[in-house]
Amino acid sequence: MNGQASVIHPAWLRITHWLNAVAVVVLATSGWRIYNAAPFFPFELPRVLTLGGWLGGALQWHFAAMWLLVANGLLYLIINIVSGRLRRQFFPLSPRLLLADFIAALKGKLAHADPRHYNMVQRAAYLFVMLDCIVLVLSGLVLWKSVQFPLLRELMGGYESARRVHFIAMALLTGFVGVHLLMVALVPRTLVAMLRGR
């Protein structure tokens, strides 16, 4: 087996993965501080989990990480499409096989023998998180530049509705990260592969 064949995750994938991880952590924690400044649910998030210290500081962190997520996310998506990796790794997606893999995962019997190939649960989860990030960016545009994006604002149901969409999409992304970290803890060699590529 040559060196190229033994690569599980190429360098571009590892770099974009870790940059996205940094962006998501900064966006979530600064976003929680922004939410706490004007909560629309009957709870606030613990201040110790937030970033920015005050609303203005949180907004600065949020906008900085926003550009990182958008630029890095676009790079990730473009390379995936152009290289054909998106089609190879994430499709086809079979509802029947997805259900079977999901049941196997619940029983702790989901095989992950070859980290170069994703099972149906992984395919669905990664496709979901890509779509969720698009919803986050679009709803974030409404919150950031509501006047400049009136059609997008209306499609979101107005500014206040866009706030809720943004919060829920962030909560779903945070949930994905939690499950992702749990899976890494259960299959630690996936972390090694994402650090070293092999």
Side-chain angles (χ1 to χ4, degrees):
M1 180 180 288
N2 60 37
Q4 186 64 26
S6 65
V7 172
I8 297 171
H9 300 305
W12 68 265
L13 180 63
R14 299 193 313 273
I15 291 167
T16 55
H17 172 274
W18 291 112
L19 287 175
N20 274 341
V22 169
V24 166
V25 168
V26 173
L27 282 165
T29 53
S30 60
W32 295 338
R33 179 64 191 93
I34 295 165
Y35 165 83
N36 281 351
F40 44 79
F41 291 123
F43 63 85
E44 290 187 12
L45 295 151
R47 190 177 178 91
V48 70
L49 298 177
T50 67
L51 176 67
W54 59 297
L55 179 58
L59 285 167
Q60 289 177 340
W61 278 106
H62 208 67
F63 291 146
M66 169 191 74
W67 290 114
L68 175 60
L69 181 73
V70 169
N72 193 56
L74 280 173
L75 180 64
Y76 169 84
L77 198 55
I78 289 168
I79 295 174
N80 262 294
I81 292 169
V82 170
S83 68
R85 183 180 181 275
L86 186 72
R87 179 183 44 78
R88 287 191 313 274
Q89 287 290 81
F90 302 105
F91 296 98
L93 189 62
S94 161
R96 183 179 59 80
L97 295 176
L98 174 59
L99 181 60
D101 277 359
F102 183 72
I103 291 170
L106 291 177
K107 294 177 179 178
K109 297 179 179 178
L110 184 60
H112 194 56
D114 187 352
R116 289 178 187 82
H117 302 289
Y118 296 149
N119 57 52
M120 288 293 162
V121 171
Q122 287 176 299
R123 290 180 187 190
Y126 292 136
L127 287 170
F128 162 78
V129 85
M130 287 181 218
L131 292 173
D132 190 54
C133 283
I134 291 169
V135 171
L136 272 166
V137 169
L138 294 178
S139 57
L141 283 175
V142 172
L143 301 180
W144 180 43
K145 297 284 187 181
S146 184
V147 174
Q148 287 86 344
F149 296 99
L151 178 59
L152 189 55
R153 184 182 66 238
E154 293 310 309
L155 288 172
M156 293 271 170
Y159 183 87
E160 284 302 318
S161 177
R163 284 187 71 203
R164 286 161 176 76
V165 168
H166 197 69
F167 185 90
I168 291 166
M170 176 278 305
L172 291 170
L173 180 59
T174 304
F176 166 84
V177 170
V179 173
H180 189 59
L181 291 174
L182 175 62
M183 294 298 103
V184 168
L186 293 173
V187 189
R189 66 191 166 112
T190 58
L191 177 61
V192 175
M194 192 51 77
L195 290 169
R196 299 179 57 227
R198 291 176 166 78

